[in-house]
Amino acid sequence: MIPGPVEMSSTVLQANSTPATAHTDPLFVEAFGQVIEMLRTVVGTTSAQPFVIAGSGTLGWDQTAANLVEAGERVLVLSNGYFGEGLADCMEAYGAQVTRLRAAPGHRQALAEVAAALRAHKYKIVTISQVDTSTGVLADVRGVAELVREHSPDTLVVVDGVCATAAERLYFDSWGVDVVITASQKALGSPPGISVVVASQKALGVLEARATPVPAYYVSWKRWLPIMKSYEARAVKYFATPCVQAIFALNTSLKEMLPAGMEPVFAAHERTAARVRAAVAAWGLETVAAEPELCSNAMTAVWLPANIQAADLLPKLKARGIVAAGGILAGHAHRYFRLGHMGISATSDNGYVDTMLKAATEALDECGHSAPGRSTPPRL
């Protein structure tokens, strides 16, 4: 029950274990084309272009930086933790002049701060981690996108959605987002191995207008765009071998997710997250996210009591069959732990969250934590 990779359905696991299949096989061509189409539904767009490439979520950073940034251009990174800092580092690796607007642990930037930054300089890109996995803080993507449209409409809005896509509400077209970066192994509900980036037509126009060549080979969208368009048209075109089994698995997960659209999926994550936060309160503890509106619906990071460290708690959880994650914020890593509740753990009545909360209650008790009420709250 870490914040990804997540638990998967048995049918997704079966799809991931199919016999060796050529990337030219008609069954795979159809599955790949469907994945590209379904990803548009997940993020709420009719016209943006998905790129589905073998790699981790971090590869999406490289895709975005390599294709959309030229050396010396300004990028504003809204950093709410470890992964915001990593995205900033990646932008700098491709020559961007990065301004990091940091929030204190558990907080996000006030919109007034973002507006002031947009007035101070012209930025090629503004990046937002919708949920920073290190803290569980939920960013205000819609609010930031509105500010960008108001103060700097040419600036591209890039959302790191690795720990958010398919768990947190995001409406790509209506909110004015230009890029969503995500990956297969979190709320998309399939195994690790697929880097997913969805780029607006505005972003693709920026790519075409570059004054310098894309400084990368594998992640160049100029090489991948014909591949994506070909597979969506149910025709084979080759640049690099796609991750066949992983794409079969993602196809299955998306089909299980989307019969009624994304609204029930979002609502299920919200209900599950509310239950986890109620349990945290019953333990007498606090989330790292400092206010209710800052709490992610995909995961929860929890401050530990002063007398307990993550290294004390995590083995006791594992002994009860639950793998949770420690903290990763520099200087604070030992002080908190992280629980994932996305994908089928949130959307299916499988008892995973019940088991996780019961184990956490018992593990805290074994660590000597005296809480106002240790019982697991009733299901919402």
Side-chain angles (χ1 to χ4, degrees), residues 56-69 81-94 125 127-129 132-133 158-162 179-182 195-197 219 221:
S56 72
T58 305
L59 189 73
W61 294 350
D62 281 86
Q63 287 191 58
T64 304
N67 287 283
L68 299 180
V69 175
Y82 179 93
F83 292 94
E85 294 298 308
L87 179 49
D89 291 344
C90 183
M91 290 287 174
E92 288 178 337
Y94 287 91
I125 288 172
T127 76
I128 318 153
S129 298
D132 196 298
T133 319
V158 172
V159 177
D160 180 344
V162 170
V179 176
V180 167
I181 300 164
T182 191
S195 168
V196 176
V197 177
V219 298
W221 288 345

Side-chain angles (χ1 to χ4, degrees), residues 177 262 374:
V177 172
M262 287 305 297
R374 295 194 196 93

Side-chain angles (χ1 to χ4, degrees), residues 111-352:
L111 291 179
E113 293 179 85
V114 179
L118 291 170
R119 289 192 295 267
H121 297 289
K122 176 75 171 179
Y123 292 100
K124 178 74 168 291
I125 288 172
V126 172
T127 76
I128 318 153
S129 298
Q130 188 169 16
V131 174
D132 196 298
T133 319
S134 67
T135 61
V137 169
L138 176 66
D140 184 0
V141 172
R142 183 178 187 176
V144 171
E146 288 175 353
L147 285 176
V148 171
R149 287 201 303 272
E150 177 183 352
H151 295 285
S152 186
D154 293 335
T155 297
L156 298 175
V157 176
V158 172
V159 177
D160 180 344
V162 170
C163 193
T165 303
E168 303 289 357
R169 294 177 185 274
L170 186 137
Y171 305 96
F172 193 105
D173 288 348
S174 64
W175 286 4
V177 172
D178 292 296
V179 176
V180 167
I181 300 164
T182 191
S184 53
Q185 76 274 14
K186 300 212 178 199
L188 289 178
S190 63
I194 305 178
S195 168
V196 176
V197 177
V198 182
S200 69
Q201 294 303 314
K202 177 182 171 182
L204 295 180
V206 168
L207 170 67
E208 290 302 317
R210 289 182 66 98
T212 58
V214 174
Y217 184 76
Y218 180 67
V219 298
S220 173
W221 288 345
K222 291 190 175 184
R223 291 185 171 90
W224 280 110
L225 184 58
I227 310 302
M228 297 300 120
K229 288 186 175 295
S230 183
Y231 273 100
E232 188 170 7
R234 306 311 195 262
V236 176
K237 195 174 184 68
Y238 180 77
F239 166 54
T241 304
C243 42
V244 174
Q245 274 68 34
I247 288 172
F248 276 137
L250 180 57
N251 178 284
T252 300
S253 181
L254 292 173
K255 284 179 176 176
E256 292 175 351
M257 181 188 305
L258 288 173
M262 287 305 297
E263 293 305 310
V265 178
F266 296 144
H269 281 86
E270 289 162 358
R271 288 193 301 271
T272 300
R275 183 163 184 265
V276 173
R277 292 194 290 271
V280 173
W283 300 332
L285 301 179
E286 295 181 351
T287 61
V288 173
E291 301 292 341
E293 65 270 19
L294 305 183
C295 290
S296 166
N297 295 305
M299 60 161 292
T300 299
V302 184
W303 289 120
L304 285 162
N307 63 325
I308 302 174
Q309 296 193 1
D312 302 320
L313 179 71
L314 297 180
K316 294 175 175 58
L317 282 168
K318 189 172 182 181
R320 291 167 170 82
I322 297 296
V323 178
I328 55 174
L329 275 181
H332 301 280
H334 64 289
R335 294 187 53 217
Y336 69 102
F337 69 106
R338 296 175 297 146
L339 300 170
H341 38 83
M342 66 188 97
I344 64 167
S345 297
T347 60
S348 300
D349 190 15
N350 48 37
Y352 292 164

